Amino acid sequence: MKLYSNSALLEKYSRDRSIYQIKPKYVCFPKNESDLIEIVRFAKQNKVPIIPRGGGTGLSGSAIGKGIVIDFSKYFTKIYKIGKITRVQSGILLKELRPKLEKAGYMLPSVPLHGYCAIGGNVNTRSIGHRTLKYGTMDKQVKSVRGILADGRILDTSSEKKIPNVIKENILKLRNKIKKEKALIEYLKSRPLVAGGYNLLSLINNKKTNDIITHLIVGSVGTLLLLTEVSLKLPKYKEFDDVYLIHFKDLDCFQKTLNNLIKNKVTSVEYAEKENLELWAREFRHPEAKYTMIVAFENHKDIKKIVIGALETKNIIGKKRKKLWKSRAGALPMSEKKAKEIGFDVPSGIDDTSIKPEDFSKVRLEVERYSKKSGIPISAFGHVAVGSIHLKPLIDMKNHPEKLDKVGKDIFKILRKYKGTLVGEHNSGLCRSRYLPMESKKMYLYMKKVKNIFDPENILNPRVMFNLEPITNNLGV
């Protein structure tokens, strides 16, 4: 298995979509599991970390590091089966997989609207999408996983027989131990839907060892397994019957409408603010709007009595729907471009806010007050129906990176009043892993126990889930 170390390639793989830059020691492009086993053995012998990488679109800094970066997107792209049960290799990009699924009448409801991330990355982050309110996170769609463990053995959770005995025994011991932690279990159940870190509730909610392990792997950000293959249980593709664009001036009216929509089984509610709306196609803007939602129903719904105090409610039909979703999908790159034009950045760091949707208006109001007091503009957009809000501070990262550190700590304090966190949709990484122990030391301790079962030598993505360095280290701006 060839390991590349030429400067141009190392430079390319020193970045992902995060604010960080770390030059790896090697880059490699394995073609099969045998290649991966060889890489793992080399890494163990030479005490070099392994950093798995899919599409490289992550915002947390979880696909870069000083060790061996493994690019799965070049060769691990096979599709074995398409249908209700879909089985694919981990490196296939959404832009390749999604059309084939839709042609067969199925869909991935909990992935980003863009197509440049790999399915392995979606599994490893426990991704969400604009239909997550109805269909759950990616965790709900994963049936089983397969990959290479940190000791070079193959793990396949499609059957208990395919799981190494030592892993099985240690997981059962940990399950028996955590079951006695009543206060911790209650806390874990109270976390927002998209809160990140290892899914410790898998130890409680699943009876079979292979199911427990499957749902620990989902959302593990490449720290427990080199994921090679995933089996998915997917819903039938369904077009939206209704798509509405609703503009608000008043935050309280926005919140009441959101609550009503969730009660009325809305499929999707996406959110944008004035700063984002100004970058959308002109036909989707409103001169007085401060808060805007895109509302979608898979089954027709009369929303006249649901919407409260809106400036305008538009029924979006035909080709305009695709144009509207494209505007929403472009929220981040358009914000980044606008910030660059005036010499600023909108860095990742507080963009993974995870709260209960019913607390949105209270949290947003506190963030607005903080923004005015600190003098740092903070815009927002996201999947508001599931409490995933992307807060984007406007900061000059070249000259004042310390502002991001302070903003992160201050916003985290606000979120904790509402049992929220800053490790959410994009899961843990260089810019947010420090918030896990700040949220719950006992939860963090059990996450470390999980890591120790799968990777006691800390070879797989070691600086992603348990990194407590300042979030301003290794900046690439």
Side-chain angles (χ1 to χ4, degrees), residues 16-47:
D16 52 10
R17 282 282 280 119
S18 72
I19 58 177
Y20 300 104
Q21 183 172 22
I22 303 174
K23 191 172 285 189
K25 190 169 185 177
Y26 303 106
V27 175
C28 63
F29 306 93
K31 294 181 178 180
N32 49 50
E33 290 181 342
S34 296
D35 285 348
L36 284 171
I37 292 168
E38 188 179 336
I39 293 165
V40 169
R41 287 173 180 163
F42 174 87
K44 280 173 66 68
Q45 288 170 4
N46 293 276
K47 300 188 184 306

Side-chain angles (χ1 to χ4, degrees), residues 231-273:
S231 290
L232 303 163
K233 188 175 181 180
L234 300 177
K236 284 279 191 180
Y237 180 80
K238 180 83 167 67
E239 288 280 1
F240 290 122
D241 280 353
D242 298 311
V243 176
Y244 298 97
L245 182 65
I246 310 175
H247 297 293
F248 296 85
K249 192 173 184 178
D250 183 76
L251 185 57
D252 188 53
C253 290
F254 182 101
Q255 182 70 65
K256 287 176 180 176
T257 299
L258 176 63
N259 295 344
N260 286 346
L261 287 165
I262 293 171
K263 287 176 187 174
N264 282 273
K265 297 183 178 179
V266 67
T267 306
S268 173
V269 185
E270 294 292 295
Y271 164 65
E273 290 185 354

Side-chain angles (χ1 to χ4, degrees), residues 422-435:
L422 277 174
V423 185
E425 174 187 347
H426 304 118
N427 220 308
S428 192
L430 299 181
C431 65
R432 30 186 154 262
S433 57
R434 70 174 183 179
Y435 299 112

Side-chain angles (χ1 to χ4, degrees), residues 6 55 65-66 69 96 118 154 187 197 206 224 230 327 337 356 368 371 410:
N6 69 77
K66 292 181 179 178
V69 171
E96 304 295 334
I154 293 173
Y187 176 73
N206 294 296
L224 304 181
V230 57
S327 288
K337 183 180 178 183
K356 300 285 180 69
E368 284 180 7
S371 176
D410 292 343

Side-chain angles (χ1 to χ4, degrees), residues 251-364:
L251 185 57
D252 188 53
C253 290
F254 182 101
Q255 182 70 65
K256 287 176 180 176
T257 299
L258 176 63
N259 295 344
N260 286 346
L261 287 165
I262 293 171
K263 287 176 187 174
N264 282 273
K265 297 183 178 179
V266 67
T267 306
S268 173
V269 185
E270 294 292 295
Y271 164 65
E273 290 185 354
K274 183 180 179 181
E275 292 78 8
N276 298 116
L277 208 62
E278 289 172 352
L279 304 174
W280 290 19
R282 191 172 298 277
E283 63 199 285
F284 301 132
R285 303 176 198 170
H286 189 289
E288 297 179 60
K290 190 172 181 183
Y291 312 99
T292 295
M293 59 172 69
I294 302 173
V295 174
F297 286 92
E298 285 184 355
N299 299 300
H300 175 70
K301 196 83 177 181
D302 184 353
I303 65 167
K304 289 177 183 175
K305 293 181 181 179
I306 296 174
V307 178
I308 297 172
L311 291 168
E312 182 182 41
T313 300
K314 279 186 178 182
N315 187 4
I316 308 298
I317 58 175
K319 293 181 179 178
K320 286 188 177 181
R321 286 188 182 180
K322 187 175 181 180
K323 193 174 181 180
L324 177 62
W325 288 119
K326 187 177 180 181
S327 288
R328 165 61 186 92
L332 178 58
M334 287 189 294
S335 296
E336 290 173 332
K337 183 180 178 183
K338 184 181 177 183
K340 289 290 184 187
E341 288 172 355
I342 58 173
F344 281 78
D345 304 279
V346 281
S348 299
I350 59 169
D351 61 327
D352 229 17
T353 300
S354 177
I355 56 175
K356 300 285 180 69
E358 60 266 29
D359 292 326
F360 168 72
S361 62
K362 289 176 281 189
V363 171
R364 189 64 190 108

Side-chain angles (χ1 to χ4, degrees), residues 123-150:
V123 172
N124 267 312
T125 55
R126 198 185 312 119
S127 69
I128 69 171
H130 63 305
R131 298 189 197 231
T132 293
L133 180 64
K134 178 174 180 178
Y135 295 99
T137 70
M138 175 58 84
D139 191 52
K140 289 286 186 182
Q141 284 101 54
V142 176
K143 192 169 186 287
S144 66
V145 296
R146 178 183 170 96
I148 309 302
L149 289 162

Side-chain angles (χ1 to χ4, degrees), residues 205-223:
N205 296 336
N206 294 296
K207 293 181 180 179
K208 294 182 179 179
T209 315
N210 56 319
D211 290 334
I212 292 172
I213 293 171
T214 295
H215 299 291
L216 283 172
I217 299 295
V218 179
S220 63
V221 208
T223 62

